[in-house]
Amino acid sequence: MEMEKSIGIRVPILRNFGKIAIIWGLSTMLAIVLNHTGVRIENLLLIYVVGVILCSVETRSMLWSISSSIVFVFTFNYLLTSPRFTFQVDDPNYVISLLIFIIVAFIAASLTVKLQKQMDLDRERAEIMLKLNTIGSGFLNLSGRQAIISYSKKSLHNLTGKETEILIRSRDERFSDSSAEWCFRNSMACGYGEAQFGDSTRLYVPVCSLSKTYGVIIFSCSNGGLAREERMYVEMVISQITLVLEREQLNEEKEESRLQIERERLKSTLLRSISHDLRTPLTGIAGNSNFLYENYTLVDEESAKSLLLDISTEAEWLNSMVENLLNMTRIQEGKLEIHKKKEVVDDLISGAVTLVSKRLGNHTLKTVTPPEIELISVDARLFTQVLVNLIDNGIRHSGENTVITVSAGAKRNRMVFTVSDNGTGIPGDKMEHIFDSFFTAAYREGDRQRGAGLGLAICKAIIEAHGGRILIDQNVEKGAAFRIEMPMEETDDQ
């Protein structure tokens, strides 16, 4: 390791020595030739001045420039002044000329080296500014905190050449690194080279604006800290990071406001739907029950049975609607529990048919079951609710005197249920919204038909929670058909 370091030091020295030797040789040869042609001795000094400047340009070092100027002076004195080939000077004018030469050489070398260093510095700054502009442009299209962190980490590593870690505070969590926590809470840099935790090999810099601290940037300083200009550039990048984080926070707040407005809108829609849909059956139940109570001895048996059947039908419809509302609440809160057991397909269909039989009115309900006993793993209560919702949807929206068919059959490794009707069908512009909450085709008819628009949305959520899918079958010639595809293999309870 020491040998490699020694070689690394010797190579630049030998290279600079070689450059000076070449310039010295060419300058001396040119001076000797011009001296033989009768050029004045004072003009020959200018050749060596140019040589010193060239040495300054090539070596970029004041030490080498001063050394070359001394060598050139002694060479000029030895070869070109009387007495020649000695270091003596007989003419006092030569002494003055040589002193002026040394002074001019020093000044020229100094100015040349400073100018080169300034040019190198300006070039480095231009490169840094280009990197900063590129970094700033990259921040424009970023969204999401993870993307911001990843891009910032990569940009700071490219800018400083140091391993970088970025911690952004989320809510009230604490950083496991105590130094990072101190930096965040005090909005001050700490760690390597700082007053606080100065013996650390890591530098902690806060990501903060005037009003808020968002996180901490950690630089690995095992190979040295950040220079003053690097710290300035890092601060510029941090200001861009804070702007992007503030923009992200504003977007999150905007989205939260939008969701809050949407929740309020849905709540208003739900209250409007419930008040509208509950009023009619409750009015019928109250009216029929009061009529029976007040005219109990006057109503014949057939009329009484008819009124009681209406009360029972309305009560069952209310029960179904309340069940849908409860399921929707559980779905929105993420509390819908699926308890699967193996169920017979025929029993699931017959259970749903039994629940809706009193609400059929002038509709006809047909069932087509598999020829053999088939089992699927489902939550029987929830899956029956799905079939009931689909049948109710056909009863309400298919028109008068339609035939509603519930069928099931195995296809490969899936059990396919279909609930179809031969009614008016679903309008084309309603297809993509048919499974949205609070959407119902009844709105096109002035809300004359009951329904809060929750049934199909609940069906979709329940089926997907089982690992299946529900979709509209586009292959029917007339009416509407909903197809449910359920996996026949048993899956883990969700």
Short mmCIF file of all heavy atoms in Angstrom, two decimals, residues 399-449:
data_model
loop_
_atom_site.label_atom_id
_atom_site.label_comp_id
_atom_site.label_asym_id
_atom_site.label_seq_id
_atom_site.Cartn_x
_atom_site.Cartn_y
_atom_site.Cartn_z
N GLY A 399 -88.10 -4.68 -16.09
CA GLY A 399 -89.39 -4.40 -16.71
C GLY A 399 -90.48 -5.32 -16.16
O GLY A 399 -90.29 -6.03 -15.16
N GLU A 400 -91.62 -5.36 -16.82
CA GLU A 400 -92.77 -6.15 -16.37
C GLU A 400 -92.78 -7.53 -17.03
O GLU A 400 -92.36 -7.69 -18.17
CB GLU A 400 -94.09 -5.42 -16.71
CG GLU A 400 -94.23 -4.06 -16.04
CD GLU A 400 -94.37 -4.16 -14.55
OE1 GLU A 400 -94.87 -5.20 -14.07
OE2 GLU A 400 -93.96 -3.22 -13.84
N ASN A 401 -93.25 -8.55 -16.25
CA ASN A 401 -93.48 -9.91 -16.76
C ASN A 401 -92.23 -10.52 -17.42
O ASN A 401 -92.31 -11.14 -18.48
CB ASN A 401 -94.64 -9.92 -17.77
CG ASN A 401 -95.94 -9.44 -17.15
OD1 ASN A 401 -96.35 -9.92 -16.09
ND2 ASN A 401 -96.58 -8.47 -17.80
N THR A 402 -91.08 -10.32 -16.80
CA THR A 402 -89.85 -10.88 -17.34
C THR A 402 -89.51 -12.20 -16.64
O THR A 402 -90.04 -12.52 -15.58
CB THR A 402 -88.67 -9.91 -17.17
OG1 THR A 402 -88.51 -9.63 -15.77
CG2 THR A 402 -88.91 -8.63 -17.92
N VAL A 403 -88.62 -12.94 -17.27
CA VAL A 403 -88.15 -14.21 -16.71
C VAL A 403 -86.72 -14.00 -16.19
O VAL A 403 -85.84 -13.56 -16.95
CB VAL A 403 -88.17 -15.34 -17.76
CG1 VAL A 403 -87.61 -16.62 -17.17
CG2 VAL A 403 -89.59 -15.55 -18.28
N ILE A 404 -86.52 -14.31 -14.93
CA ILE A 404 -85.19 -14.19 -14.31
C ILE A 404 -84.66 -15.60 -14.09
O ILE A 404 -85.34 -16.45 -13.52
CB ILE A 404 -85.27 -13.43 -12.98
CG1 ILE A 404 -85.83 -12.02 -13.22
CG2 ILE A 404 -83.90 -13.35 -12.30
CD1 ILE A 404 -86.16 -11.26 -11.95
N THR A 405 -83.44 -15.83 -14.57
CA THR A 405 -82.85 -17.17 -14.50
C THR A 405 -81.58 -17.15 -13.66
O THR A 405 -80.70 -16.30 -13.88
CB THR A 405 -82.52 -17.69 -15.90
OG1 THR A 405 -83.72 -17.66 -16.71
CG2 THR A 405 -81.98 -19.12 -15.85
N VAL A 406 -81.51 -18.09 -12.72
CA VAL A 406 -80.30 -18.27 -11.91
C VAL A 406 -79.73 -19.63 -12.26
O VAL A 406 -80.40 -20.66 -12.09
CB VAL A 406 -80.60 -18.19 -10.40
CG1 VAL A 406 -79.30 -18.34 -9.60
CG2 VAL A 406 -81.30 -16.88 -10.06
N SER A 407 -78.50 -19.66 -12.76
CA SER A 407 -77.90 -20.92 -13.18
C SER A 407 -76.49 -21.04 -12.62
O SER A 407 -75.86 -20.04 -12.24
CB SER A 407 -77.86 -21.02 -14.70
OG SER A 407 -77.07 -19.98 -15.25
N ALA A 408 -76.00 -22.28 -12.57
CA ALA A 408 -74.64 -22.53 -12.09
C ALA A 408 -74.09 -23.75 -12.80
O ALA A 408 -74.82 -24.70 -13.12
CB ALA A 408 -74.62 -22.73 -10.58
N GLY A 409 -72.78 -23.74 -13.06
CA GLY A 409 -72.13 -24.86 -13.72
C GLY A 409 -70.62 -24.76 -13.60
O GLY A 409 -70.06 -23.66 -13.53
N ALA A 410 -69.95 -25.89 -13.55
CA ALA A 410 -68.49 -25.92 -13.42
C ALA A 410 -67.83 -25.76 -14.79
O ALA A 410 -68.24 -26.39 -15.76
CB ALA A 410 -68.05 -27.22 -12.76
N LYS A 411 -66.83 -24.91 -14.84
CA LYS A 411 -66.03 -24.74 -16.06
C LYS A 411 -64.57 -24.75 -15.64
O LYS A 411 -64.09 -23.83 -14.97
CB LYS A 411 -66.37 -23.42 -16.76
CG LYS A 411 -67.75 -23.41 -17.39
CD LYS A 411 -67.98 -22.14 -18.18
CE LYS A 411 -69.36 -22.15 -18.85
NZ LYS A 411 -69.61 -20.91 -19.62
N ARG A 412 -63.89 -25.83 -16.04
CA ARG A 412 -62.49 -26.04 -15.64
C ARG A 412 -62.39 -26.02 -14.12
O ARG A 412 -63.03 -26.81 -13.44
CB ARG A 412 -61.59 -25.00 -16.29
CG ARG A 412 -61.56 -25.11 -17.81
CD ARG A 412 -60.64 -24.07 -18.42
NE ARG A 412 -60.64 -24.16 -19.87
CZ ARG A 412 -59.99 -23.35 -20.67
NH1 ARG A 412 -59.24 -22.38 -20.15
NH2 ARG A 412 -60.05 -23.49 -21.98
N ASN A 413 -61.62 -25.12 -13.56
CA ASN A 413 -61.43 -25.10 -12.11
C ASN A 413 -62.25 -24.00 -11.44
O ASN A 413 -61.94 -23.57 -10.33
CB ASN A 413 -59.95 -24.91 -11.77
CG ASN A 413 -59.42 -23.59 -12.30
OD1 ASN A 413 -60.02 -22.99 -13.19
ND2 ASN A 413 -58.29 -23.15 -11.77
N ARG A 414 -63.30 -23.54 -12.11
CA ARG A 414 -64.12 -22.46 -11.55
C ARG A 414 -65.60 -22.85 -11.62
O ARG A 414 -66.04 -23.55 -12.55
CB ARG A 414 -63.89 -21.15 -12.29
CG ARG A 414 -62.44 -20.71 -12.34
CD ARG A 414 -62.25 -19.42 -13.10
NE ARG A 414 -62.62 -18.27 -12.29
CZ ARG A 414 -61.81 -17.68 -11.41
NH1 ARG A 414 -60.60 -18.16 -11.20
NH2 ARG A 414 -62.21 -16.63 -10.73
N MET A 415 -66.35 -22.37 -10.65
CA MET A 415 -67.80 -22.51 -10.66
C MET A 415 -68.38 -21.18 -11.13
O MET A 415 -68.11 -20.13 -10.54
CB MET A 415 -68.32 -22.85 -9.26
CG MET A 415 -69.84 -22.99 -9.19
SD MET A 415 -70.51 -24.28 -10.27
CE MET A 415 -69.80 -25.74 -9.49
N VAL A 416 -69.18 -21.24 -12.20
CA VAL A 416 -69.72 -20.03 -12.81
C VAL A 416 -71.22 -19.94 -12.50
O VAL A 416 -71.99 -20.84 -12.84
CB VAL A 416 -69.50 -20.02 -14.33
CG1 VAL A 416 -70.10 -18.76 -14.95
CG2 VAL A 416 -68.00 -20.12 -14.65
N PHE A 417 -71.60 -18.85 -11.83
CA PHE A 417 -73.00 -18.54 -11.56
C PHE A 417 -73.44 -17.44 -12.51
O PHE A 417 -72.68 -16.50 -12.76
CB PHE A 417 -73.20 -18.06 -10.12
CG PHE A 417 -72.91 -19.08 -9.06
CD1 PHE A 417 -71.61 -19.33 -8.65
CD2 PHE A 417 -73.93 -19.80 -8.48
CE1 PHE A 417 -71.33 -20.26 -7.67
CE2 PHE A 417 -73.67 -20.74 -7.49
CZ PHE A 417 -72.36 -20.97 -7.08
N THR A 418 -74.67 -17.54 -13.02
CA THR A 418 -75.20 -16.52 -13.91
C THR A 418 -76.60 -16.14 -13.45
O THR A 418 -77.44 -17.02 -13.22
CB THR A 418 -75.26 -17.00 -15.37
OG1 THR A 418 -73.96 -17.41 -15.78
CG2 THR A 418 -75.75 -15.90 -16.29
N VAL A 419 -76.84 -14.85 -13.31
CA VAL A 419 -78.17 -14.32 -13.00
C VAL A 419 -78.55 -13.43 -14.18
O VAL A 419 -77.93 -12.38 -14.39
CB VAL A 419 -78.19 -13.53 -11.69
CG1 VAL A 419 -79.60 -12.98 -11.43
CG2 VAL A 419 -77.73 -14.40 -10.53
N SER A 420 -79.56 -13.86 -14.95
CA SER A 420 -79.91 -13.14 -16.18
C SER A 420 -81.40 -12.89 -16.24
O SER A 420 -82.20 -13.52 -15.51
CB SER A 420 -79.46 -13.95 -17.40
OG SER A 420 -80.09 -15.21 -17.42
N ASP A 421 -81.80 -11.98 -17.12
CA ASP A 421 -83.21 -11.71 -17.37
C ASP A 421 -83.39 -11.38 -18.84
O ASP A 421 -82.42 -11.13 -19.56
CB ASP A 421 -83.71 -10.57 -16.47
CG ASP A 421 -83.00 -9.24 -16.75
OD1 ASP A 421 -83.23 -8.67 -17.85
OD2 ASP A 421 -82.22 -8.79 -15.90
N ASN A 422 -84.62 -11.41 -19.30
CA ASN A 422 -84.93 -11.10 -20.70
C ASN A 422 -85.63 -9.77 -20.83
O ASN A 422 -86.49 -9.57 -21.68
CB ASN A 422 -85.78 -12.21 -21.33
CG ASN A 422 -87.12 -12.38 -20.60
OD1 ASN A 422 -87.32 -11.82 -19.52
ND2 ASN A 422 -88.03 -13.14 -21.20
N GLY A 423 -85.23 -8.82 -19.93
CA GLY A 423 -85.91 -7.53 -19.89
C GLY A 423 -85.30 -6.49 -20.80
O GLY A 423 -84.79 -6.78 -21.88
N THR A 424 -85.29 -5.24 -20.31
CA THR A 424 -84.88 -4.09 -21.14
C THR A 424 -83.37 -3.95 -21.26
O THR A 424 -82.89 -3.21 -22.12
CB THR A 424 -85.45 -2.80 -20.54
OG1 THR A 424 -85.02 -2.69 -19.17
CG2 THR A 424 -86.98 -2.82 -20.58
N GLY A 425 -82.62 -4.62 -20.41
CA GLY A 425 -81.16 -4.55 -20.50
C GLY A 425 -80.59 -3.32 -19.82
O GLY A 425 -81.31 -2.49 -19.24
N ILE A 426 -79.27 -3.20 -19.91
CA ILE A 426 -78.55 -2.09 -19.28
C ILE A 426 -78.10 -1.12 -20.36
O ILE A 426 -77.47 -1.53 -21.34
CB ILE A 426 -77.32 -2.61 -18.51
CG1 ILE A 426 -77.74 -3.64 -17.47
CG2 ILE A 426 -76.57 -1.46 -17.83
CD1 ILE A 426 -76.58 -4.36 -16.81
N PRO A 427 -78.40 0.18 -20.23
CA PRO A 427 -77.95 1.16 -21.23
C PRO A 427 -76.43 1.13 -21.39
O PRO A 427 -75.69 0.95 -20.40
CB PRO A 427 -78.43 2.50 -20.66
CG PRO A 427 -79.54 2.15 -19.72
CD PRO A 427 -79.19 0.80 -19.16
N GLY A 428 -75.96 1.33 -22.61
CA GLY A 428 -74.53 1.25 -22.87
C GLY A 428 -73.71 2.26 -22.08
O GLY A 428 -72.59 1.97 -21.65
N ASP A 429 -74.26 3.47 -21.86
CA ASP A 429 -73.51 4.50 -21.13
C ASP A 429 -73.46 4.24 -19.64
O ASP A 429 -72.79 4.96 -18.89
CB ASP A 429 -74.10 5.89 -21.41
CG ASP A 429 -75.56 5.97 -21.00
OD1 ASP A 429 -76.22 4.92 -20.88
OD2 ASP A 429 -76.05 7.11 -20.79
N LYS A 430 -74.20 3.22 -19.16
CA LYS A 430 -74.20 2.90 -17.73
C LYS A 430 -73.28 1.74 -17.39
O LYS A 430 -73.05 1.46 -16.22
CB LYS A 430 -75.63 2.54 -17.27
CG LYS A 430 -76.71 3.54 -17.66
CD LYS A 430 -76.53 4.86 -16.94
CE LYS A 430 -77.68 5.82 -17.28
NZ LYS A 430 -77.52 7.12 -16.64
N MET A 431 -72.75 1.05 -18.41
CA MET A 431 -72.01 -0.18 -18.19
C MET A 431 -70.82 0.00 -17.25
O MET A 431 -70.62 -0.75 -16.30
CB MET A 431 -71.52 -0.74 -19.52
CG MET A 431 -72.61 -1.36 -20.37
SD MET A 431 -73.13 -2.95 -19.72
CE MET A 431 -74.16 -3.53 -21.09
N GLU A 432 -69.99 1.04 -17.51
CA GLU A 432 -68.75 1.16 -16.75
C GLU A 432 -68.98 1.64 -15.32
O GLU A 432 -68.08 1.57 -14.48
CB GLU A 432 -67.79 2.10 -17.46
CG GLU A 432 -68.31 3.51 -17.62
CD GLU A 432 -67.27 4.43 -18.28
OE1 GLU A 432 -66.16 4.53 -17.72
OE2 GLU A 432 -67.58 4.99 -19.34
N HIS A 433 -70.18 2.14 -15.01
CA HIS A 433 -70.46 2.62 -13.66
C HIS A 433 -71.39 1.70 -12.90
O HIS A 433 -71.76 2.02 -11.76
CB HIS A 433 -71.10 4.02 -13.73
CG HIS A 433 -70.24 5.04 -14.41
ND1 HIS A 433 -69.06 5.51 -13.87
CD2 HIS A 433 -70.38 5.67 -15.61
CE1 HIS A 433 -68.52 6.40 -14.70
NE2 HIS A 433 -69.30 6.51 -15.76
N ILE A 434 -71.74 0.56 -13.49
CA ILE A 434 -72.80 -0.26 -12.91
C ILE A 434 -72.43 -0.82 -11.53
O ILE A 434 -73.30 -1.07 -10.69
CB ILE A 434 -73.18 -1.41 -13.87
CG1 ILE A 434 -74.58 -1.95 -13.56
CG2 ILE A 434 -72.14 -2.51 -13.84
CD1 ILE A 434 -75.68 -1.01 -13.91
N PHE A 435 -71.12 -0.98 -11.26
CA PHE A 435 -70.69 -1.52 -9.97
C PHE A 435 -70.24 -0.43 -8.99
O PHE A 435 -69.70 -0.75 -7.94
CB PHE A 435 -69.54 -2.52 -10.16
CG PHE A 435 -69.96 -3.80 -10.84
CD1 PHE A 435 -69.62 -4.04 -12.16
CD2 PHE A 435 -70.71 -4.74 -10.17
CE1 PHE A 435 -70.01 -5.21 -12.79
CE2 PHE A 435 -71.11 -5.92 -10.79
CZ PHE A 435 -70.76 -6.15 -12.11
N ASP A 436 -70.48 0.86 -9.34
CA ASP A 436 -70.13 1.94 -8.44
C ASP A 436 -71.15 2.07 -7.32
O ASP A 436 -72.35 1.78 -7.51
CB ASP A 436 -70.05 3.28 -9.19
CG ASP A 436 -68.91 3.30 -10.19
OD1 ASP A 436 -68.08 2.37 -10.14
OD2 ASP A 436 -68.87 4.23 -11.00
N SER A 437 -70.70 2.54 -6.16
CA SER A 437 -71.61 2.76 -5.04
C SER A 437 -72.57 3.90 -5.37
O SER A 437 -72.19 4.90 -5.99
CB SER A 437 -70.82 3.13 -3.78
OG SER A 437 -69.97 2.07 -3.40
N PHE A 438 -73.83 3.73 -4.98
CA PHE A 438 -74.89 4.71 -5.14
C PHE A 438 -75.27 4.96 -6.59
O PHE A 438 -75.93 5.93 -6.90
CB PHE A 438 -74.52 6.05 -4.48
CG PHE A 438 -74.18 5.93 -3.03
CD1 PHE A 438 -72.88 6.08 -2.60
CD2 PHE A 438 -75.15 5.65 -2.10
CE1 PHE A 438 -72.55 5.95 -1.27
CE2 PHE A 438 -74.84 5.51 -0.76
CZ PHE A 438 -73.54 5.66 -0.34
N PHE A 439 -74.81 4.06 -7.48
CA PHE A 439 -75.23 4.21 -8.88
C PHE A 439 -76.39 3.25 -9.13
O PHE A 439 -76.33 2.07 -8.81
CB PHE A 439 -74.09 3.87 -9.83
CG PHE A 439 -74.50 3.95 -11.28
CD1 PHE A 439 -74.50 5.16 -11.94
CD2 PHE A 439 -74.94 2.82 -11.95
CE1 PHE A 439 -74.88 5.24 -13.27
CE2 PHE A 439 -75.34 2.90 -13.28
CZ PHE A 439 -75.30 4.12 -13.93
N THR A 440 -77.45 3.76 -9.73
CA THR A 440 -78.58 2.91 -10.07
C THR A 440 -79.25 3.44 -11.32
O THR A 440 -79.39 4.65 -11.51
CB THR A 440 -79.63 2.85 -8.93
OG1 THR A 440 -80.80 2.17 -9.41
CG2 THR A 440 -80.00 4.22 -8.43
N ALA A 441 -79.64 2.52 -12.18
CA ALA A 441 -80.33 2.91 -13.41
C ALA A 441 -81.69 3.50 -13.13
O ALA A 441 -82.30 4.11 -13.99
CB ALA A 441 -80.47 1.69 -14.33
N ALA A 442 -82.19 3.35 -11.90
CA ALA A 442 -83.50 3.90 -11.57
C ALA A 442 -83.51 5.42 -11.65
O ALA A 442 -84.54 6.03 -11.82
CB ALA A 442 -83.92 3.46 -10.16
N TYR A 443 -82.34 6.05 -11.52
CA TYR A 443 -82.29 7.50 -11.55
C TYR A 443 -82.75 8.05 -12.89
O TYR A 443 -83.22 9.17 -12.99
CB TYR A 443 -80.86 7.98 -11.27
CG TYR A 443 -80.41 7.75 -9.85
CD1 TYR A 443 -79.07 7.71 -9.54
CD2 TYR A 443 -81.33 7.56 -8.84
CE1 TYR A 443 -78.64 7.49 -8.23
CE2 TYR A 443 -80.92 7.33 -7.54
CZ TYR A 443 -79.58 7.30 -7.24
OH TYR A 443 -79.17 7.08 -5.95
N ARG A 444 -82.61 7.27 -13.94
CA ARG A 444 -83.02 7.75 -15.26
C ARG A 444 -84.54 7.84 -15.36
O ARG A 444 -85.08 8.42 -16.27
CB ARG A 444 -82.50 6.80 -16.33
CG ARG A 444 -83.12 5.42 -16.28
CD ARG A 444 -82.51 4.46 -17.26
NE ARG A 444 -83.09 3.13 -17.12
CZ ARG A 444 -82.72 2.09 -17.82
NH1 ARG A 444 -81.76 2.22 -18.72
NH2 ARG A 444 -83.27 0.91 -17.64
N GLU A 445 -85.24 7.22 -14.39
CA GLU A 445 -86.71 7.22 -14.43
C GLU A 445 -87.28 8.03 -13.26
O GLU A 445 -88.32 7.74 -12.72
CB GLU A 445 -87.24 5.78 -14.38
CG GLU A 445 -86.77 4.95 -15.57
CD GLU A 445 -87.25 3.51 -15.46
OE1 GLU A 445 -88.08 3.23 -14.56
OE2 GLU A 445 -86.81 2.68 -16.25
N GLY A 446 -86.52 9.01 -12.82
CA GLY A 446 -87.03 9.90 -11.79
C GLY A 446 -87.09 9.26 -10.43
O GLY A 446 -87.92 9.65 -9.60
N ASP A 447 -86.26 8.28 -10.14
CA ASP A 447 -86.24 7.62 -8.83
C ASP A 447 -87.55 6.94 -8.51
O ASP A 447 -87.92 6.77 -7.36
CB ASP A 447 -85.89 8.62 -7.72
CG ASP A 447 -84.43 8.94 -7.71
OD1 ASP A 447 -83.63 8.19 -8.30
OD2 ASP A 447 -84.08 9.94 -7.09
N ARG A 448 -88.27 6.50 -9.50
CA ARG A 448 -89.55 5.83 -9.24
C ARG A 448 -89.33 4.44 -8.68
O ARG A 448 -90.17 3.90 -7.99
CB ARG A 448 -90.39 5.74 -10.52
CG ARG A 448 -90.93 7.09 -10.99
CD ARG A 448 -91.89 6.93 -12.15
NE ARG A 448 -91.23 6.51 -13.37
CZ ARG A 448 -91.30 5.28 -13.85
NH1 ARG A 448 -91.95 4.33 -13.19
NH2 ARG A 448 -90.70 4.98 -14.98
N GLN A 449 -88.17 3.83 -8.99
CA GLN A 449 -87.90 2.49 -8.49
C GLN A 449 -87.01 2.59 -7.27
O GLN A 449 -86.13 3.44 -7.18
CB GLN A 449 -87.21 1.65 -9.57
CG GLN A 449 -88.03 1.54 -10.84
CD GLN A 449 -87.36 0.64 -11.84
OE1 GLN A 449 -86.89 -0.43 -11.48
NE2 GLN A 449 -87.33 1.05 -13.08
#
